[in-house]
Amino acid sequence: MNIENRLKEFGLELPEISTPGGSYVSVNIRVNIAYVAIQFPIRNGEYFYQGRLGDDISTEDGLKAMELCALNVLAQINDKVGFDNVVGLNHLDAYFQAYGSWDDSPEVVNGASDLFQKVLEEKGIHTRAIFGVEKLPRNFSVGLTSSFTIVKSVQI
Amino acid sequence: MNIENRLKEFGLELPEISTPGGSYVSVNIRVNIAYVAIQFPIRNGEYFYQGRLGDDISTEDGLKAMELCALNVLAQINDKVGFDNVVGLNHLDAYFQAYGSWDDSPEVVNGASDLFQKVLEEKGIHTRAIFGVEKLPRNFSVGLTSSFTIVKSVQI
Amino acid sequence: MNIENRLKEFGLELPEISTPGGSYVSVNIRVNIAYVAIQFPIRNGEYFYQGRLGDDISTEDGLKAMELCALNVLAQINDKVGFDNVVGLNHLDAYFQAYGSWDDSPEVVNGASDLFQKVLEEKGIHTRAIFGVEKLPRNFSVGLTSSFTIVKSVQI
């Protein structure tokens, strides 16, 4: 699958792969699972959507922030695994920062969930957990951790 | 194993399986792991135990809320995998909403841990993580994410 | 690999393995994955680094707290799996309690990340997620959940 062409159909573009903000790797392949480090709404080195949902960041922008997290996941997988080697997305842990009674997190996280399924089709099906945390690094409004099942022969 | 009979021995009953509150699936099978989406204290479509532990919700009710999350996990696995195909429960991520200095989360989460081991015996053994989050969707006091190792031949 | 000797080179010592604070196990082996329950900064039964980062606990002490969590992970793996059976560390979920605008969590979690890679070398490479939670059990400032890929023949 040519992921770039597929993304273009939807008006989407992979960001540059971001470098880890600490002593870890962005993708860790262990046998047939590729673990992907938490991804944030960063595009080509620039930080977006910092603050808390329900006040600083609207639900609509939160959805875009989650889309950008998902695009960063796809960029990492494209770079380190290759989509032809992907069996499927496993699970998403989606985190958000919010104020008070704001409760649109399922809608916001659909920004990532829908993107994975549009682009990867049945390979993008996944389970997920969502929860509001007190603080994400760099005051990002959202973050996304994921893992993929891949074919066994991939080496990095 | 007839899970319904086994639950009846303990005076428990599987709830109706709940439908995902977004663009994801409740159970995602990838090779020999079944990932289960976050489950909440919902019974047959009705929401229970909304609020924060340590004030709105007592420790005793929190334990019942966690039991209900665990029953929802079992209902999903029963429906999508079948207990004869389960090798064992892997790990639980247990989240809670609480006030101030309330610190009975291990006791509350035992509501889920004990239930899995009563019902599934050695297949219910697991590791777990617990942490208090700022906000769960729909103001649920607790939530539970899990995965199971299963035999490889299961197809959904 | 003799993990104790290797730790000594770095002036480190494995703590006594801590017992689970509830109805779960510290390490759960399912086929070729060893799931490790959340570990806290406990040494030989004594609790350390309780409170919130950015006020009660400095960044430097937070890093030491994360190192201690990582040492507890290594102690559990040494006891239940054995390092000769480890293929590699998979992923870390690192949680912290903090005040206000404190934002040194990546530096703090490097305390664990660096230790795993110093001791286990390429087998210690991993992905990670970090997020600030509202409350950890027993008011610990940090906690660490992990899993390892292991050879298939390990039985416990």
Side-chain angles (χ1 to χ4, degrees), chain C residues 124-137:
Chain C
I125 290 171
H126 58 273
T127 52
R128 75 187 193 192
I130 307 178
F131 45 91
V133 299
E134 192 170 271
K135 189 188 288 281
L136 287 170

Side-chain angles (χ1 to χ4, degrees), chain B residues 77-97:
Chain B
I77 289 291
N78 186 45
D79 184 60
K80 312 269 185 351
V81 177
F83 284 97
D84 289 340
N85 295 318
V86 168
V87 173
L89 176 56
N90 298 330
H91 176 84
L92 301 179
D93 277 328
Y95 327 105
F96 64 91
Q97 296 188 152

Side-chain angles (χ1 to χ4, degrees), chain C residues 85-106:
Chain C
N85 295 317
V86 168
V87 173
L89 176 56
N90 298 330
H91 176 85
L92 301 178
D93 277 327
Y95 327 105
F96 64 91
Q97 296 189 151
Y99 282 112
S101 58
W102 181 87
D103 192 28
D104 296 337
S105 61

Side-chain angles (χ1 to χ4, degrees), chain A residues 25 36 41 99 121 139 144:
Chain A
V25 293
V36 184
Y99 283 111
E121 296 179 309
N139 197 29
L144 188 66

Side-chain angles (χ1 to χ4, degrees), chain A residues 21 40-50 68 137-138 140:
Chain A
F40 296 111
I42 297 173
R43 180 176 285 281
N44 306 338
E46 198 179 345
Y47 293 1
F48 292 93
Y49 305 109
Q50 292 168 295
L68 186 46
R138 309 310 172 232
F140 283 117

Side-chain angles (χ1 to χ4, degrees), chain B residues 12-34:
Chain B
L12 300 166
E13 199 183 351
L14 287 189
E16 288 174 16
I17 56 164
S18 58
T19 50
S23 311
Y24 62 98
V25 294
S26 296
V27 177
N28 189 27
I29 295 175
R30 297 289 183 197
V31 190
N32 70 326
I33 299 183

Side-chain angles (χ1 to χ4, degrees), chain B residues 116-137:
Chain B
F116 283 120
Q117 289 170 84
K118 274 200 300 190
V119 175
L120 302 179
E121 296 180 312
E122 69 278 10
K123 291 184 177 183
I125 290 171
H126 58 274
T127 51
R128 73 185 194 194
I130 308 177
F131 44 91
V133 300
E134 193 170 88
K135 189 189 288 283
L136 287 170

Side-chain angles (χ1 to χ4, degrees), chain B:
Chain B
M1 175 171 35
N2 185 319
I3 196 78
E4 271 98 352
N5 286 353
R6 199 153 173 74
L7 285 163
K8 264 182 205 153
E9 286 178 37
F10 301 109
L12 300 166
E13 199 183 351
L14 287 189
E16 288 174 16
I17 56 164
S18 58
T19 50
S23 311
Y24 62 98
V25 294
S26 296
V27 177
N28 189 27
I29 295 175
R30 297 289 183 197
V31 190
N32 70 326
I33 299 183
Y35 299 88
V36 184
I38 188 170
Q39 298 295 308
F40 296 110
I42 298 174
R43 182 177 285 281
N44 306 339
E46 198 179 343
Y47 293 2
F48 292 93
Y49 306 110
Q50 291 167 296
R52 300 188 89 82
L53 289 154
D55 189 346
D56 313 323
I57 310 282
S58 69
T59 295
E60 191 177 36
D61 279 347
L63 190 150
K64 287 180 195 160
M66 266 294 170
E67 276 187 350
L68 186 46
C69 292
L71 286 172
N72 276 293
V73 170
L74 292 176
Q76 296 289 357
I77 289 291
N78 186 45
D79 184 60
K80 312 269 185 351
V81 177
F83 284 97
D84 289 340
N85 295 318
V86 168
V87 173
L89 176 56
N90 298 330
H91 176 84
L92 301 179
D93 277 328
Y95 327 105
F96 64 91
Q97 296 188 152
Y99 283 111
S101 59
W102 181 87
D103 192 29
D104 296 337
S105 60
E107 188 179 339
V108 159
V109 181
N110 282 350
S113 289
D114 287 338
L115 190 147
F116 283 120
Q117 289 170 84
K118 274 200 300 190
V119 175
L120 302 179
E121 296 180 312
E122 69 278 10
K123 291 184 177 183
I125 290 171
H126 58 274
T127 51
R128 73 185 194 194
I130 308 177
F131 44 91
V133 300
E134 193 170 88
K135 189 189 288 283
L136 287 170
R138 310 308 172 233
N139 197 28
F140 283 117
S141 57
V142 296
L144 188 66
T145 301
S146 56
S147 69
F148 290 75
T149 299
I150 62 173
V151 296
K152 283 197 188 176
S153 56
V154 183
Q155 297 288 332
I156 50 172

